[in-house]
Amino acid sequence: MSRKIDVFRKTKETQIEIELNLDGTGEADISTGIPFFDHMLTAFTVHGFFDLKIRAKGDLEVDLHHTIEDTGLVLGQAFHEALEKKEGIQRFGDSCIPMDEALSRVTVDLSNRPYLVYHFPKDLKSGGAFDADLAREFFQAFSVKGGFNLHINSYYGVNEHHVLESIFKAMGKSLNSATRINENLSGPLSSKGSL
C-alpha cells in the first residue's frame, strides 16, 4: 500500500507544493523562504521518518503569516489524503522531547475530529520573526486540514528556539507512531467501526 501523496495549492497570496511519503527515511527537502520555519519542518521530518519535500512561495513582503498558515493547510491535506480511510493505523501518538532546558510533549489522535490545544511557556522573548504565535497558526491549520486532535504542551523552557524545536521534533515522533500500520487491525481503530 503506497502512502505517498503530492498536493498543490495556489492562491493570490501563496503557492505551495508538497510531496509526502509517510513510509520514508526522514529525508527533508524544505524551502519556504523562511529559514527558521525550514529548520523546524526539517526537524519534524527527520524525527518523524517521513520523506517530505516542500516548495512554498508567498507574499513575505506583507508578512510571514500567509506562507506559514497555508503551509500548515497543505501539509494537513497531504497527511489526510495519504492516510485515506485511516485503516490499519495505530491512530494515537505521544512523544515527550527535551531540547536543552526546554521540555515539550505532543499527543495526537488521527480521529477526523480536528482540535488544537496549545500550551506554551509564558513570558518568553522572541528571538526572531517566527515566534510562538506564528507556530500556533501553523499547528491550527495543520490539525484542521489533517483532521486530527493535536495537543501541544510545552512544560518549560527559556530559549524560544529550543522550545519550538522540542515541539516540532515531538510532533514528528508522535505522528510517526500514529501513522504506523498495526498488523492486528483490518479497519480503523475505533469501537464505532469508522473514524
Side-chain angles (χ1 to χ4, degrees):
M1 176 175 65
S2 175
R3 302 196 304 166
K4 298 179 182 178
I5 196 80
D6 295 351
V7 182
F8 179 78
R9 180 177 193 262
K10 183 175 183 179
T11 71
K12 291 181 179 179
E13 298 170 341
T14 63
Q15 177 177 306
I16 298 167
E17 184 173 4
I18 290 182
E19 297 175 17
L20 171 67
N21 178 4
L22 293 179
D23 302 306
T25 60
E27 184 177 327
D29 183 5
I30 315 288
S31 178
T32 66
I34 307 166
F36 186 75
F37 190 34
D38 294 353
H39 177 50
M40 293 297 102
L41 291 169
T42 297
F44 162 74
T45 304
V46 168
H47 292 276
F49 290 96
F50 311 115
D51 289 344
L52 180 62
K53 179 178 180 180
I54 299 177
R55 291 293 176 266
K57 295 178 182 175
D59 54 0
L60 300 179
E61 70 282 0
V62 175
D63 70 9
L64 308 186
H65 182 275
H66 297 148
T67 302
I68 290 168
E69 182 178 41
D70 287 5
T71 299
L73 291 172
V74 179
L75 187 59
Q77 181 181 344
F79 269 83
H80 186 75
E81 291 182 12
L83 289 166
E84 294 187 41
K85 297 178 182 177
K86 299 183 171 69
E87 293 180 346
I89 61 168
Q90 291 286 105
R91 177 179 165 180
F92 301 99
D94 180 69
S95 182
C96 191
I97 297 291
M99 177 71 186
D100 295 349
E101 85 295 342
L103 183 68
S104 300
R105 180 175 215 142
V106 175
T107 308
V108 298
D109 175 8
L110 303 180
S111 61
N112 278 335
R113 292 187 309 278
Y115 199 89
L116 174 67
V117 173
Y118 187 63
H119 295 143
F120 199 88
K122 294 178 180 172
D123 302 324
L124 277 187
K125 301 234 189 296
S126 176
F130 186 96
D131 60 14
D133 291 333
L134 281 174
R136 187 188 192 290
E137 293 300 318
F138 167 77
F139 296 130
Q140 178 71 31
F142 186 33
S143 64
V144 166
K145 270 305 217 193
F148 54 85
N149 277 205
L150 178 58
H151 290 247
I152 296 170
N153 290 288
S154 188
Y155 299 123
Y156 46 80
V158 175
N159 182 302
E160 187 177 59
H161 181 140
H162 294 164
V163 173
L164 287 168
E165 190 163 343
S166 68
I167 290 171
F168 274 86
K169 288 177 177 176
M171 184 173 67
K173 287 187 68 66
S174 294
L175 278 169
N176 177 269
S177 296
T179 58
R180 290 310 93 202
I181 299 296
N182 184 330
E183 300 297 335
N184 295 320
L185 294 170
S186 58
L189 180 56
S190 172
S191 58
K192 296 180 289 191
S194 67
L195 293 173

